[in-house]
């Protein structure tokens, strides 16, 4: 069924501008423009098809693991691995403990870790074990004993009685895990109240670390931990600034659960710290949690956090400034591809950890629902990760490649090969690679290097990974770990690593279904049921949403809805925008009001315009360099062209009709030479105004033509890249009045307001802006374009370095 809809106003607050759509008509099942897939630097180094390849049945591994570790009846050396905790700390009820490593000394009482027990309960839940009534016990309720109530910390901690302030990640992760469990078990006694306390305590911690709303001020996470007894951040011998990511996620989930706007503000504070930080703050596991929070806020709330930076940081690119070498491994050790494992890329040549690997896969997979540009990269990464993870286990490597502190125990007791060594080293025991761990190596006390605290998260892999009819094409459940996400239809990610197109067979259940691919933004099959199939080209991903047949489709900005549920957060109607960050609150409010006024004044037939702005830096993270630019630099807007209408049509002309060019400026002909300036500071190769930067340029198109796109590009090493301009169009045969307020002659087309003015710190790089018609429409037939270059206070004196103006018309 086709449905035409009208969107009266879509305001998207941009770090570089504002999207303005005053009216829009779109066919629900028309082919919309897919967005290019973005690379993740570390994933780009990984093979499409790792070798040797052996995919374990991770769901069965998980089920067998939980049956093993939750079995109180097991006997033998170091068995059972679980015990009852009857100390009744915090609550008058029993709890339970799991050995952190097989062979922990004196496993009894309250000596157990939350990150292990919570990981086990969450992992079992992910493979559909009801842990609120497993073996006639409510394991979720018992985890509530980690809520440190008796000592008045009033947060979940890694022990039932713990002192906070020693390490952010040990303190924040248990709270993240309990929020995740609340997603599955919202009726658990006390849990909602406990999480409210957690959210409040971390909101107060943000303020204690310097966050303020009026005036806006971001918190400082350049610390090791936070002491809730003193309400003060602590700095030890190292820093864990990626804690901002974990706190942002906690605050965002609290906002979804409780609806209190202060928690949304808390999430914005924490993410703004990451947005402003120039160096990678990755320490352990909290950075990818922050990337997931940013992706959701960008997609759901129209924020514009630099997700590409946050994702690459999560993978260890560039190297962390606080824990050099931590990230995602992309390497071959001996005869084995170990790509995808998470840990140290440099410690002894590399050291991947089971816990980080399993957990990070679950954290980042749902991100593709909110930004499908990363679908292929995430799919490729998880394929490599899932293949390499088998090497943690007793059947993954030859006997001599396994730690002597554990390999014989595994042979005797772990017949299903479900207990993992703590990690995988590039070399140990004169073997490459080696399954091993730290406790015996460093004589911590445990008798083996078999790490339960990592093994316990295997259910994350088991919950998201299922096989298909092709051994190297996995079905990845995007919704399984999308905690507190909006109501969704079944959504799966498939990546084809083969060198040829493959047909994937899937089961869609009873009743007629439509299959929608959120990457290409089209329905690829309609009215299917039971077993069906679809094709995936080589080295390509499909983000498949299985929806009821023949339902109404609506569009709202970049979102596509079917029966009120979002099936696509990035539908191709609007190209990529860099959204306004929360740091510029006053500018946001000003621009919202400006758009509202324009919308109120809009006539029914007013032009349907979308403004997109994109930045790329000379240095990190884009690394364009300060010299000659020879390749395309933009992902979401057209790149500077040498064959646009102004360069190929006869008789077109750009003239100066108001203002004065600087004496150092190039001539107007450089605006249509199809070239970037040769360096980051080349005044003779750009056009710029003097006397505050104001001026007007008239573009004569030499005929009445159907304009579809107006693009403007700027480049500078500091604060003269900013763009502040408006475009007006006219159908008149001749014009002598250049006042855009004369609406008999001029019609407002669009404008760009990029930010990064002098007070914002400038921008060392290039900025491109593209004013286009919404798909299915056009800017209109015009003879003249008037560019009104506004006073953009990026520099005390002369204005923006304009490198190029491109205009395109309908063919």
């Amino acid at each position: 069924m086709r449905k035409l809809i009208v969107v009266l106003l879509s305001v998207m607050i941009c770090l570089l501008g504002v999207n303005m759509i005053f009216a829009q008509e779109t066919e629900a099942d028309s082919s919309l423009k897919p967005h290019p897939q973005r690379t993740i630097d570390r994933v780009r180094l990984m093979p499409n098809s790792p070798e040797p390849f052996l995919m374990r049945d991770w769901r069965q591994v998980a089920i067998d693991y939980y049956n093993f570790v939750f079995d109180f009846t097991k006997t033998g050396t170091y068995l059972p691995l679980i015990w009852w905790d009857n100390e009744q700390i915090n609550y008058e009820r029993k709890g339970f403990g799991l050995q952190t490593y097989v062979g922990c000394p004196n496993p009894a009482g309250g000596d157990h870790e939350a990150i292990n027990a919570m990981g086990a309960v969450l992992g079992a839940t992910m493979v559909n074990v009801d842990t609120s009534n497993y073996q006639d016990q409510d394991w979720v309720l018992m985890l509530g004993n980690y809520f440190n109530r008796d000592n008045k910390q009033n947060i979940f901690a890694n022990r039932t009685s713990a002192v906070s302030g020693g390490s952010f990640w040990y303190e924040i992760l248990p709270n993240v895990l309990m929020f995740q469990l609340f997603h599955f078990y919202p009726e658990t006694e006390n849990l909602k109240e406990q999480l409210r306390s957690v959210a409040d305590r971390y909101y107060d911690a943000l303020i204690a670390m310097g966050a303020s709303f009026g005036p806006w001020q971001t918190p400082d996470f350049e610390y090791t931990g936070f002491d809730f007894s003193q309400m003060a951040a602590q700095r030890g011998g190292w820093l864990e600034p990626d804690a901002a990511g974990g706190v942002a996620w906690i605050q965002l989930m609290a906002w979804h659960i409780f609806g209190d706007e202060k928690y949304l503000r808390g999430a914005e504070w924490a993410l703004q710290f990451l947005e402003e930080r120039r160096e990678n703050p990755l320490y352990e596991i909290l950075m990818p949690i922050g990337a997931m929070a940013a992706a959701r806020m960008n997609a759901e709330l129209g924020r514009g956090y630099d997700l590409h930076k946050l994702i690459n940081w999560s993978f260890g690119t560039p190297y962390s400034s606080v824990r050099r070498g931590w990230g995602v491994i992309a390497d071959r050790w001996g005869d084995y591809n170990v790509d995808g494992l998470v840990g140290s890329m440099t410690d002894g040549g590399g050291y991947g950890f089971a816990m980080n690997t399993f957990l990070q896969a679950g954290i980042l997979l749902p991100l593709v629902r909110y930004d499908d540009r990363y679908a292929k990269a995430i799919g490729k990464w998880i394929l490599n990760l899932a293949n390499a993870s088998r090497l943690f286990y007793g059947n993954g490597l030859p006997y001599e490649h396994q730690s002597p502190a554990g390999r014989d125990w595994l042979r005797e007791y772990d017949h299903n090969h479900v207990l993992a060594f703590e990690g995988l080293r590039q070399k140990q025991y004169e073997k490459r690679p080696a399954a091993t761990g730290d406790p015996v190596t460093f004589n911590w006390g445990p008798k083996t290097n078999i790490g339960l605290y990592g093994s316990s998260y295997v259910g994350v892999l088991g919950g998201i990974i299922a096989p298909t009819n092709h051994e190297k094409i996995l079905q990845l459940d995007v919704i399984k770990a999308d905690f507190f996400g909006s109501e969704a239809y079944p959504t799966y990610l498939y990546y084809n690593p083969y060198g040829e197109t493959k047909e994937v067979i899937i089961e869609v259940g009873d009743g007629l279904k439509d299959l929608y691919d959120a990457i290409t933004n089209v329905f690829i099959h309609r009215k299917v049921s039971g077993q069906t199939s679809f094709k995936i080209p080589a080295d390509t991903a499909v983000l498949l949403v299985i929806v009821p047949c023949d339902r109404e489709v609506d569009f709202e900005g970049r979102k596509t809805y079917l029966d009120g549920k979002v099936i696509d957060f990035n539908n191709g109607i609007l190209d990529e925008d860099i959204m306004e960050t929360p740091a510029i609150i006053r500018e946001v409010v000003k621009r919202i009001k400006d758009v509202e006024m324009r919308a109120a004044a809009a006539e029914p037939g007013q032009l349907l315009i979308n403004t997109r702005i994109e930045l790329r830096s000379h240095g990190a993270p884009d690394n364009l360099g300060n010299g000659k630019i020879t390749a395309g630099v933009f992902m979401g807007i057209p790149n500077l062209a040498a064959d646009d209408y102004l360069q190929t049509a006869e008789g077109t002309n750009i003239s100066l009709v108001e203002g004065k060019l600087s004496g150092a400026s190039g001539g107007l002909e450089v605006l249509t030479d199809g070239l970037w300036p040769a360096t980051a500071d080349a005044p003779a190769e750009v056009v710029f105004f003097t006397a505050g930067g104001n001026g007007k340029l008239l573009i004569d198109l030499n005929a009445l033509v159907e304009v579809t796109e107006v693009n403007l590009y700027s480049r500078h090493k500091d604060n003269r890249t900013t763009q502040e301009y408006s475009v007006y169009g006219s159908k008149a045969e001749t014009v002598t009045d250049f006042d855009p307020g004369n609406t008999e002659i001029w019609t407002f087309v669009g404008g760009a307001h990029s930010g990064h003015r002098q007070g914002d710190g400038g921008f060392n790089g290039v900025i491109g802006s593209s004013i286009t018609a919404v798909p299915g429409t056009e800017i209109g037939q015009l003879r003249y374009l008037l560019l009104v270059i506004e006073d953009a206070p990026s520099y005390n004196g002369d204005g923006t370095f304009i490198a190029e103006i491109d205009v395109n018309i309908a063919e």
Side-chain angles (χ1 to χ4, degrees):
M1 178 178 183
R2 299 169 184 258
K3 182 180 180 183
L4 293 178
I5 63 160
V6 177
V7 177
L8 296 178
L9 176 65
S10 176
V11 180
M12 306 188 77
I13 307 166
C14 301
L15 174 62
L16 307 179
V18 180
N19 256 335
M20 291 168 286
I21 302 176
F22 297 135
Q24 169 180 323
E25 283 193 32
T26 309
E27 284 189 63
D29 57 351
S30 63
S31 179
L32 299 174
K33 179 184 176 183
H35 291 292
Q37 290 291 286
R38 301 206 69 176
T39 59
I40 299 172
D41 290 346
R42 297 297 297 171
V43 178
R44 185 168 48 197
L45 301 175
M46 301 176 188
N48 291 352
S49 183
E51 296 295 341
F53 187 87
L54 178 63
M55 186 59 56
R56 296 196 69 181
D57 182 344
W58 289 111
R59 185 177 186 278
Q60 190 60 52
V61 172
I63 291 172
D64 290 343
Y65 171 78
Y66 301 120
N67 286 336
F68 191 114
V69 299
F70 282 96
D71 188 348
F72 286 83
T73 68
K74 282 196 173 292
T75 58
T77 307
Y78 312 133
L79 295 173
L81 301 174
I82 189 170
W83 68 93
W84 294 121
D85 176 2
N86 292 308
E87 294 189 357
Q88 297 190 5
I89 299 173
N90 299 313
Y91 294 91
E92 295 182 357
R93 61 185 178 222
K94 70 179 179 182
F96 72 99
L98 288 172
Q99 296 184 41
T100 301
Y101 299 89
V102 171
C104 279
N106 305 314
D111 187 18
H112 44 82
E113 293 195 71
I115 59 171
N116 187 13
M118 291 177 181
V121 174
L122 176 65
T125 299
M126 292 281 286
V127 290
N128 301 324
V129 175
D130 181 2
T131 54
S132 69
N133 187 26
Y134 176 55
Q135 300 176 346
D136 297 322
Q137 302 290 335
D138 189 339
W139 304 91
V140 184
L141 178 64
M142 285 187 278
L143 292 178
N145 294 358
Y146 289 107
F147 184 78
N148 278 218
R149 184 175 67 166
D150 289 353
N151 61 14
K152 297 184 170 37
Q153 298 279 308
N154 292 321
I155 59 169
F156 288 97
N158 195 39
R159 305 275 180 174
T160 53
S161 184
V163 175
S164 58
S167 171
F168 270 131
W169 88 263
Y170 269 113
E171 294 153 9
I172 292 174
L173 183 58
N175 295 282
V176 169
L177 296 171
M178 291 308 293
F179 268 95
Q180 293 176 343
L181 282 164
F182 183 70
H183 170 82
F184 296 107
Y185 305 104
E187 303 303 321
T188 301
E189 182 181 346
N190 301 322
L191 185 51
K192 189 171 186 178
E193 293 76 15
Q194 291 166 337
L195 295 179
R196 184 83 188 229
S197 173
V198 169
D200 287 340
R201 295 287 273 167
Y202 275 104
Y203 182 86
D204 292 342
L206 287 164
I207 294 174
M209 289 187 286
S212 172
F213 184 66
W216 182 274
Q217 184 171 316
T218 55
D220 182 6
F221 279 91
E222 303 293 342
Y223 294 97
T224 308
F226 190 88
D227 186 341
F228 282 94
S229 64
Q230 302 181 44
M231 289 306 294
Q234 305 296 309
R235 186 172 284 129
W238 68 93
L239 302 179
E240 301 183 22
D242 64 345
V247 174
W249 189 91
I250 287 172
Q251 294 290 294
L252 181 61
M253 295 306 103
W255 177 67
H256 278 285
I257 295 167
F258 303 111
D260 191 328
E261 290 295 317
K262 80 173 188 180
Y263 300 131
L264 181 58
R265 184 161 61 244
E268 291 173 332
W269 275 333
L271 286 178
Q272 190 59 27
F273 167 82
L274 297 175
E275 189 76 4
E276 294 173 359
R277 200 176 199 274
R278 294 182 179 273
E279 296 180 314
N280 187 351
L282 177 64
Y283 182 79
E284 182 79 22
I285 193 62
L286 300 179
M287 188 63 248
I289 297 173
M292 181 61 198
R296 287 194 60 172
M297 291 182 70
N298 285 355
E300 295 178 325
L301 303 174
R303 301 299 193 263
Y305 299 109
D306 189 347
L307 185 59
H308 194 63
K309 175 181 80 171
L310 300 182
I311 291 175
N312 274 289
W313 277 357
S314 300
F315 280 73
T317 306
Y319 275 174
S320 168
S321 65
V322 297
R323 195 177 188 183
R324 182 174 176 80
W326 195 262
V328 176
I329 296 164
D331 204 351
R332 185 174 178 87
W333 295 345
D335 296 328
Y336 299 88
N337 277 119
V338 296
D339 303 86
L341 303 183
V342 181
S344 175
M345 299 177 283
T346 57
D347 183 357
Y351 191 4
F353 290 87
M355 184 201 78
N356 303 75
T357 299
F358 298 158
L359 189 54
Q360 187 155 320
I363 291 167
L364 289 181
L365 174 60
L367 182 147
V368 304
R369 182 187 182 209
Y370 300 98
D371 197 329
D372 55 54
R373 296 176 302 168
Y374 295 95
K376 175 184 168 183
I378 295 292
K380 176 181 173 180
W381 166 56
I382 293 181
L383 174 67
N384 276 273
L385 173 155
N387 176 65
S389 290
R390 78 186 190 281
L391 304 178
F392 292 127
Y393 293 88
N395 63 343
L397 287 170
Y399 177 81
E400 59 272 16
H401 286 251
Q402 300 173 36
S403 170
R407 62 191 182 190
D408 290 330
W409 189 95
L410 290 175
R411 278 192 168 187
E412 183 171 358
Y413 296 107
D414 183 20
H415 302 140
N416 292 324
H417 309 293
V418 296
L419 278 76
F421 283 99
E422 180 180 22
L424 191 75
R425 278 196 175 275
Q426 190 262 357
K427 184 178 180 180
Q428 199 171 10
Y429 321 118
E430 300 301 319
K431 300 295 181 181
R432 300 177 64 233
T436 184
D438 288 339
V440 177
T441 304
F442 296 104
N443 196 27
W444 290 349
K447 303 303 182 183
T448 79
N449 285 325
I450 303 166
L452 268 67
Y453 83 91
S455 305
S456 289
Y457 290 88
V458 68
V460 175
L461 285 194
I464 63 176
I465 294 175
T468 70
N469 56 307
H470 299 283
E471 67 169 356
K472 294 184 180 180
I473 298 180
L474 305 179
Q475 176 179 278
L476 303 178
D477 189 339
V478 173
I479 304 301
K480 190 72 174 185
D482 185 18
F483 304 106
F484 304 103
S486 60
E487 194 175 4
Y489 294 106
T491 305
Y492 301 99
L493 173 61
Y494 304 85
Y495 167 67
N496 177 11
Y498 296 97
E500 60 185 5
T501 297
K502 293 292 185 180
E503 187 167 8
V504 178
I505 300 171
I506 61 170
E507 178 65 46
V508 300
D510 297 333
L512 292 178
K513 304 290 196 309
D514 291 338
L515 305 184
Y516 178 82
D517 178 17
I519 298 175
T520 57
N521 310 310
V522 297
F523 287 92
I524 59 176
H525 282 303
R526 291 188 179 274
K527 297 183 178 181
V528 298
S529 64
Q531 190 175 89
T532 188
S533 65
F534 63 93
K535 293 181 179 180
I536 312 180
D539 191 24
T540 300
V542 168
L543 185 57
L544 196 70
V545 188
I546 303 172
V547 302
C549 183
D550 285 341
R551 300 296 176 89
E552 293 184 347
V553 176
D554 291 335
F555 299 87
E556 181 183 298
R558 296 196 300 186
K559 300 175 187 175
T560 300
Y561 292 84
L562 189 142
D563 271 6
K565 297 180 184 180
V566 179
I567 62 172
D568 196 342
F569 281 95
N570 198 16
N571 58 22
I573 290 180
L574 307 180
D575 280 336
E576 301 313 310
D577 304 281
I578 302 178
M579 314 299 287
E580 185 69 77
T581 56
I584 317 174
I585 296 296
R586 285 171 294 183
E587 186 70 10
V588 169
V589 173
K590 173 181 176 293
R591 293 178 187 175
I592 288 177
K593 290 181 178 178
D594 179 56
V595 172
E596 287 175 343
M597 287 189 292
R598 293 185 185 183
E603 298 296 330
Q606 189 159 351
L607 302 178
L608 317 179
I609 303 303
N610 170 36
T611 300
R612 302 160 294 151
I613 308 177
E614 196 169 325
L615 297 87
R616 289 292 177 264
S617 54
H618 289 135
D622 300 305
N623 298 310
L624 296 181
N626 293 314
K628 188 175 182 180
I629 297 174
T630 58
V633 297
F634 298 116
M635 298 292 293
I637 67 171
N639 280 286
L640 185 150
D643 59 354
D644 70 301
Y645 180 75
L646 294 183
Q647 296 178 65
T648 57
E650 294 184 0
T652 61
N653 180 57
I654 300 180
S655 59
L656 176 66
V657 294
E658 187 174 302
K660 181 181 179 182
L661 297 185
S662 169
S665 170
L668 294 176
E669 66 276 4
V670 305
L671 296 177
T672 55
D673 62 6
L675 300 172
W676 283 106
T679 70
D681 189 13
E685 298 176 42
V686 298
V687 165
F688 60 106
F689 291 86
T690 189
N694 288 325
K696 295 178 183 177
L697 298 174
L698 180 68
I699 301 177
D700 183 351
L701 302 172
N702 197 36
L704 194 63
V705 293
E706 193 173 278
V707 177
T708 59
E709 194 171 66
V710 180
N711 305 323
L712 188 143
Y713 306 92
S714 55
R715 185 184 190 189
H716 191 246
K717 65 181 181 180
D718 191 3
N719 54 8
R720 297 172 67 176
T721 322
T722 184
Q723 296 186 14
E724 299 278 337
Y725 70 92
S726 299
V727 179
Y728 298 83
S730 176
K731 296 183 178 182
E733 291 185 8
T734 59
V735 291
T736 57
D737 185 348
F738 307 113
D739 178 8
N742 186 345
T743 56
E744 293 184 0
I745 299 176
W746 298 105
T747 299
F748 176 74
V749 172
H753 309 279
S754 72
H756 285 278
R757 302 180 177 194
Q758 185 177 10
D760 300 333
F763 182 72
N764 176 16
V766 299
I767 295 179
S769 58
S770 181
I771 300 173
T772 61
V774 172
T777 70
E778 63 280 327
I779 290 177
Q781 288 198 334
L782 300 171
R783 167 63 191 266
Y784 295 98
L785 294 171
L786 181 67
L787 272 66
V788 179
I789 313 297
E790 302 171 12
D791 181 5
S794 61
Y795 188 76
N796 294 325
D798 299 341
T800 299
F801 274 24
I802 306 172
E804 177 87 1
I805 298 173
D806 290 343
V807 175
N808 290 306
I809 67 170
E811 296 181 358

